[in-house]
Amino acid sequence: AQLFTVTGSVESAQKAMAALSDIASGLPFSIQEVTQAFITLRNFGLKATEDSLKSYANIAAASGKALNDAIQAVANATVGEFERLKAFGIKAKVAGEQVTFTFRGIETQVDKTASAIGNYLEAIGSEDLAGAAARQVDTLGGAFSNPGDQIALATNELAKEPGFIDQLTNTSRESTRT
């Protein structure tokens, strides 16, 4: 339902779900986390591509943080709120229409626009921290995220069956009345 809202159609939502499922399979984050990241990025008007999601996943994984924490930090930064970036080792100073970011001792100045800030942060994940998320897929935590994704996808397919949701909601309403 949320994907329908942000993509605008059932067909687009289904395509997005298939793509997000593929992306999640290569990350140490669940399909639910990746889907929520996609929705948050889209709601902020930011790029929600495979590359951007993987990049932000690298930032989260390298910092030992949840994907949503990284996405929220990025989203906040694009509207001029930089406090949450500190949790990922990224500092920011604003001077007029420029932002100077410091990451791993290297200062980089960008325009104070959502796209320039988003592009800079995406570059950190795709260049400086490249592969951080993929390396975690082979860990115990990564091994546990993918079976959970399979259950979520199977449940999603089951929910597509005609009448399933109606039957489920009618059954749950009846059980709460007794």
Side-chain angles (χ1 to χ4, degrees):
Q2 288 177 319
L3 283 175
F4 172 83
T5 302
V6 297
T7 62
S9 73
V10 171
E11 182 179 292
S12 295
Q14 289 171 339
K15 286 180 183 177
M17 180 54 90
L20 293 169
S21 173
D22 288 343
I23 294 167
S25 70
L27 298 175
F29 303 108
S30 72
I31 183 102
Q32 290 89 350
E33 291 170 297
V34 174
T35 301
Q36 188 58 55
F38 174 85
I39 291 167
T40 300
L41 290 170
R42 291 289 296 265
N43 284 339
F44 272 84
L46 302 172
K47 289 189 297 185
T49 63
E50 179 176 357
D51 289 341
S52 66
L53 288 165
K54 286 182 177 180
S55 177
Y56 300 140
N58 285 334
I59 292 172
S63 303
K65 306 282 185 196
L67 179 58
N68 188 52
D69 291 340
I71 296 298
Q72 287 297 323
V74 168
N76 286 357
T78 63
V79 295
E81 298 172 12
F82 303 107
E83 189 65 30
R84 293 182 85 168
L85 291 176
K86 290 178 184 176
F88 300 92
I90 305 167
K91 298 176 190 168
K93 284 190 276 184
V94 178
E97 294 303 310
Q98 300 288 304
V99 180
T100 301
F101 290 101
T102 305
F103 180 67
R104 293 185 173 171
I106 299 171
E107 289 187 355
T108 304
Q109 192 173 53
V110 303
D111 291 336
K112 190 181 166 189
T113 64
S115 62
I117 292 167
N119 288 340
Y120 168 73
L121 295 172
E122 187 176 333
I124 287 177
S126 64
E127 296 168 14
D128 299 311
L129 303 173
R135 285 187 290 279
Q136 286 192 9
V137 170
D138 295 329
T139 67
L140 187 59
F144 279 111
S145 81
N146 288 334
D149 288 347
Q150 296 308 315
I151 292 169
L153 290 171
T155 303
N156 189 42
E157 287 301 312
L158 183 61
K160 290 179 186 177
E161 291 298 316
F164 178 77
I165 297 295
D166 290 337
Q167 182 63 38
L168 185 64
T169 55
N170 286 337
T171 302
S172 66
R173 283 188 201 129
E174 289 172 14
S175 67
T176 58
R177 291 182 193 148
T178 57

